[in-house]
Amino acid sequence: MNTKLNFETIDMLSKGITQFAFRSGPVEEMHSKNKLTQKNMETLNKYIANRIAGLLQTVLNGDISKALKVLTFYASLSTDWNTIKPDTEEFYM
């Protein structure tokens, strides 16, 4: 695997993060139970992967303060969410 943070790596990481954190979770069950159409899933997958790619590209460009500013804003919209519980199980299998 290429460990350099270039466009190809950002593409792979964005898709991998989307699959890991979104697609391979409860949303897949929703999709399999026809609560989300294939078109809905394609739209969501593309949107999420592109947003993650934008974040990674911003960091790659050295604009970490811009990334933090945007993420701090979005974090402020989720103050009523439960406290996170990092899921690292798959990394240690």
Side-chain angles (χ1 to χ4, degrees), residues 3 5 17 19 22 34 42 62-63 73 77 83 87-88:
T3 57
L5 195 56
I17 292 168
Q19 187 71 6
F22 171 71
N34 295 322
E42 290 171 7
D63 294 329
F73 167 73
L77 302 177
T83 301
D87 178 358
T88 59

Side-chain angles (χ1 to χ4, degrees), residues 4-58:
K4 212 172 159 193
L5 195 56
N6 55 30
F7 182 80
E8 291 77 22
T9 304
I10 288 172
D11 182 70
M12 181 278 300
L13 288 172
S14 300
K15 291 172 183 173
I17 292 168
T18 299
Q19 187 71 6
F20 174 76
F22 171 71
R23 179 62 193 253
S24 293
V27 75
E28 181 56 33
E29 184 177 335
M30 296 168 79
H31 181 227
S32 69
K33 292 182 178 180
N34 295 322
K35 294 182 180 181
L36 293 170
T37 66
Q38 184 63 29
K39 182 72 173 159
N40 292 148
M41 286 304 300
E42 290 171 7
T43 299
L44 290 168
N45 290 338
K46 182 178 179 181
Y47 174 80
I48 292 168
N50 287 342
R51 295 286 278 191
I52 292 168
L55 173 63
L56 294 173
Q57 184 67 57
T58 300

Side-chain angles (χ1 to χ4, degrees), residues 44-89:
L44 290 168
N45 290 338
K46 182 178 179 181
Y47 174 80
I48 292 168
N50 287 342
R51 295 286 278 191
I52 292 168
L55 173 63
L56 294 173
Q57 184 67 57
T58 300
V59 171
L60 173 66
N61 290 344
D63 294 329
I64 295 171
S65 63
K66 286 182 182 179
L68 288 173
K69 181 179 179 182
V70 168
L71 293 177
T72 298
F73 167 73
Y74 281 101
S76 74
L77 302 177
S78 54
T79 57
D80 59 338
W81 291 10
N82 294 334
T83 301
I84 65 159
K85 296 178 186 173
D87 178 358
T88 59
E89 180 180 336

